[in-house]
Amino acid sequence: MNSLPVRVRFAPSPTGFLHIGGVRTALFNFLYARQHQGKFLIRIEDTDTERSEQRFTHDIMSSLQWLGMGADEPILYQSKRLPVYQGIAEDLVSKGLAYRCTCTEAEVEAAREQLIKDGKKPMYARTCREKNHAAGDRPYAIRAKFPLSGATSFTDLIRGEISFPNEDLDDFVMIRSNGVPTYNFVVVVDDVEMKISHVIRGDDHINNTPKQIFLYDALRAPKPLFAHLPMILGQDKKKLSKRNGETSTNAYREQGYLPEALLNFLVRLGWSHGDQELFTMEEMIKLFNLESVQVSGAVFNTEKLLWIAGEHMKKADPGRLIRILKQDFSKAFSEVSLSSLDSGYALSLIPHLQPKVKLLSELAGQLDPLLDTGVREVDSSALKWNKDEAQKARIKEAIAGLRTEFQSRISGGAFENLRAAGVDHAGIDSILRAKCDRFGLKLGDLTQPLRLFVTGHPSASIGLFDLLPLMPWNSVSARMDACLKS
């Protein structure tokens, strides 16, 4: 085992938005660091100057901040270290561990094609390996002088012993002829400087590991322990795509997922703790271990993600939900509703809605018509009372009686709402049932139109008996009037 203090890193490339696979890798590194009182570091691998963009870097950092996974030390940007990489590569040349290659791309490709014709593995033909080109001869790349025999092996913390015959490995490019370093080179230089103890990353990097082990040895640096995570698959068991979940992390934020729900879902993609499905961050940190990470691919299941989202929504602090709504979903509210988000009324509604919604976007859609003090325009064409005018008249008469009784409870405006006047869920139930008995109606006859007009939403998640005591009386009264005039 590695006796060094635990130091892990998440090293995204800003050539695109941060996607789910990257977040899962970051999460596993973060949990491992926190469990072992170690450090979680972030490195931006932006040496690909043509494809790297600042907007992608911003997306990566904002996504990690939203998820609560900030770096424990200053962030390292590879683009600021190009002279460092160049110097180290030239030093390896001087030690006979790398060499200058003046072959053009066309020459390299022609040699590879010849190897294929000869029935050999297509790789660099090592044309320049022993030529000892001087630095000023002509434009050159710097290649690793990889051993020609033996094997390179390592013990993966998830997969066990993995070995590669050296004869199958290429003299890979470390510095391109344009001076830009390659991934396999800079990642080792940086991991050595950052004192990384564990490299936890996707299994698509397994084939890179022997090249990197060669560089650790060349630099006479201690090698980290490696752990390669299983690929995330779509429900069709193929590589995750945008169609089945591979989308920007911020897109999940925009849809209204709570960050803890997304992290809970991702921790179960390749790791398990018995049959437990729901985890807090504290539980994940306590229970996570690399020994329980599976080798086979993990399937992304959108239905399960939504279920987990709903479970975390139920447990979330109502005040926190309001703060997130104001920050991320202000455009979902009218000006009046938005100004009411800080009210005690809004706070009282949240617990009634939490069990019925899974996403913050759904919560915003439910709250907006409830917080608006005015009458909401609704489509009443589907109401059952439209089928029988006599029945409709009786229902309206009952509603008019309800409004009068509620008004008397409010005592001419002495109370802000019915709850303040002592009318709770049970009281509403009792009053409505008494009206139904008096007018020969079923409870649904009365509640269907009332629910539509009072909530202002055709499929409101909050129960009418829960809402009526909480809603300001002025709003209730105006909406009942609108019901009577419809």
Side-chain angles (χ1 to χ4, degrees):
M1 287 295 291
N2 196 327
S3 59
L4 296 173
V6 170
R7 292 173 63 85
V8 299
R9 46 74 168 175
F10 175 55
S13 174
T15 55
F17 297 111
L18 181 59
H19 289 266
I20 286 301
V23 176
R24 198 273 305 265
T25 297
L27 175 61
F28 281 21
N29 276 279
F30 181 83
L31 296 177
Y32 195 81
R34 289 292 177 268
Q35 186 181 79
H36 294 276
Q37 293 78 50
K39 299 292 185 181
F40 172 72
L41 310 180
I42 296 174
R43 181 171 69 230
I44 301 297
E45 299 191 337
D46 54 354
T47 56
D48 186 345
T49 54
E50 290 186 1
R51 297 173 58 220
S52 296
E53 296 184 30
Q54 184 58 40
R55 65 188 177 111
F56 296 139
T57 299
H58 176 75
D59 176 82
I60 291 166
M61 300 312 301
S62 65
S63 295
L64 292 174
Q65 182 180 22
W66 173 62
L67 293 166
M69 294 190 291
D72 294 322
E73 294 180 5
I75 297 166
L76 185 147
Y77 292 86
Q78 289 183 336
S79 61
K80 299 178 180 179
R81 291 169 46 80
L82 298 183
V84 173
Y85 306 131
Q86 186 75 42
I88 291 175
E90 292 288 357
D91 184 59
L92 292 178
V93 171
S94 69
K95 294 176 179 177
L97 296 167
Y99 59 93
R100 300 183 185 95
C101 173
T102 60
C103 298
T104 64
E105 284 188 31
E107 290 169 338
V108 170
E109 188 58 35
R112 280 181 176 160
E113 289 177 2
Q114 186 59 50
L115 286 172
I116 294 173
K117 289 179 182 178
D118 295 341
K120 298 178 180 179
K121 185 172 181 178
M123 56 199 303
Y124 175 59
R126 299 189 172 94
T127 306
C128 296
R129 184 176 172 108
E130 304 301 338
K131 290 186 176 180
N132 297 317
H133 291 299
D137 285 358
R138 57 191 250 194
Y140 62 88
I142 296 180
R143 290 182 177 271
K145 203 168 187 178
F146 210 84
L148 300 178
S149 61
T152 300
S153 304
F154 68 97
T155 301
D156 190 286
L157 296 178
I158 294 171
R159 298 159 190 275
E161 190 74 11
I162 299 176
S163 184
F164 294 84
N166 287 341
E167 62 185 282
D168 293 339
L169 299 170
D170 215 341
D171 281 4
F172 59 93
V173 172
M174 295 160 46
I175 304 285
R176 298 182 181 90
S177 59
N178 63 1
V180 176
T182 62
Y183 166 78
N184 280 310
F185 180 53
V186 295
V187 72
V188 173
V189 172
D190 290 340
D191 281 350
V192 169
E193 184 169 317
M194 297 169 76
K195 296 181 173 59
I196 297 302
S197 65
H198 296 72
V199 173
I200 304 170
R201 59 188 178 184
D203 60 10
D204 53 330
H205 287 289
I206 288 177
N207 290 336
N208 290 324
T209 309
K211 301 174 185 179
Q212 294 169 11
I213 288 175
F214 164 80
L215 289 170
Y216 282 107
D217 290 338
L219 296 172
R220 297 184 178 181
K223 289 182 283 293
L225 297 177
F226 293 94
H228 289 92
L229 308 175
M231 184 178 293
I232 300 177
L233 307 174
Q235 289 182 271
D236 54 5
K237 304 298 177 68
K238 296 180 181 179
K239 185 177 179 180
L240 199 63
S241 66
K242 290 183 180 179
R243 180 176 56 82
N244 52 25
E246 178 64 346
T247 188
S248 165
T249 304
N250 271 325
Y252 287 97
R253 180 179 185 177
E254 291 165 4
Q255 290 174 51
Y257 286 92
L258 285 168
E260 60 266 32
L262 188 59
L263 292 176
N264 186 162
F265 173 73
L266 290 175
V267 82
R268 290 287 287 109
L269 291 182
W271 174 82
S272 62
H273 179 71
D275 295 327
Q276 186 172 342
E277 293 287 356
L278 300 174
F279 298 87
T280 63
M281 176 56 79
E282 291 73 20
E283 289 173 321
M284 286 191 277
I285 291 171
K286 179 181 178 181
L287 300 172
F288 179 78
N289 60 81
L290 291 172
E291 292 77 16
S292 296
V293 175
Q294 67 191 40
V295 174
S296 57
V299 177
F300 188 104
N301 186 319
T302 304
E303 290 183 2
K304 185 173 181 180
L305 171 58
L306 278 170
W307 174 76
I308 290 174
E311 294 303 304
H312 280 277
M313 178 65 75
K314 293 175 186 176
K315 300 174 184 177
D317 174 69
R320 173 174 168 251
L321 292 178
I322 287 178
R323 289 192 295 274
I324 298 174
L325 288 173
K326 289 176 64 179
Q327 177 179 341
D328 290 349
F329 292 91
S330 60
K331 292 182 180 178
F333 295 90
S334 68
E335 288 187 19
V336 173
S337 296
L338 186 62
S339 66
S340 299
L341 263 179
D342 285 322
S343 66
Y345 168 50
L347 193 63
S348 71
L349 292 174
I350 299 288
H352 296 285
L353 294 170
Q354 283 176 267
K356 307 292 182 64
V357 299
K358 296 178 174 63
L359 305 176
L360 287 156
S361 53
E362 297 172 345
L363 183 60
Q366 292 290 329
L367 274 175
D368 179 49
L370 301 180
L371 296 180
D372 196 326
T373 54
V375 174
R376 302 286 290 208
E377 185 176 338
V378 297
D379 180 6
S380 61
S381 61
L383 291 175
K384 293 180 182 179
W385 71 9
N386 292 317
K387 298 178 181 180
D388 186 335
E389 287 298 323
Q391 175 85 334
K392 183 176 183 179
R394 286 199 304 277
I395 294 172
K396 285 192 173 184
E397 190 177 355
I399 291 174
L402 275 175
R403 185 185 176 286
T404 299
E405 182 165 349
F406 288 157
Q407 180 68 58
S408 67
R409 299 291 184 108
I410 291 294
S411 300
F415 299 106
E416 179 184 358
N417 57 29
L418 289 167
R419 182 174 65 174
V423 182
D424 56 10
H425 181 290
I428 296 292
D429 183 290
S430 176
I431 293 169
L432 262 67
R433 289 184 186 278
K435 282 290 181 288
C436 287
D437 289 343
R438 178 181 174 185
F439 289 93
L441 302 170
K442 295 179 180 178
L443 188 60
D445 297 331
L446 199 54
T447 57
Q448 189 199 25
L450 271 178
R451 181 182 175 87
L452 174 64
F453 281 90
V454 174
T455 64
H457 197 294
S459 56
S461 293
I462 189 168
L464 181 66
F465 295 177
D466 293 318
L467 176 61
L468 283 173
L470 302 175
M471 182 177 274
W473 171 245
N474 288 342
S475 294
V476 174
S477 177
R479 294 183 182 197
M480 290 183 77
D481 279 344
C483 180
L484 294 173
K485 294 174 183 177
S486 64

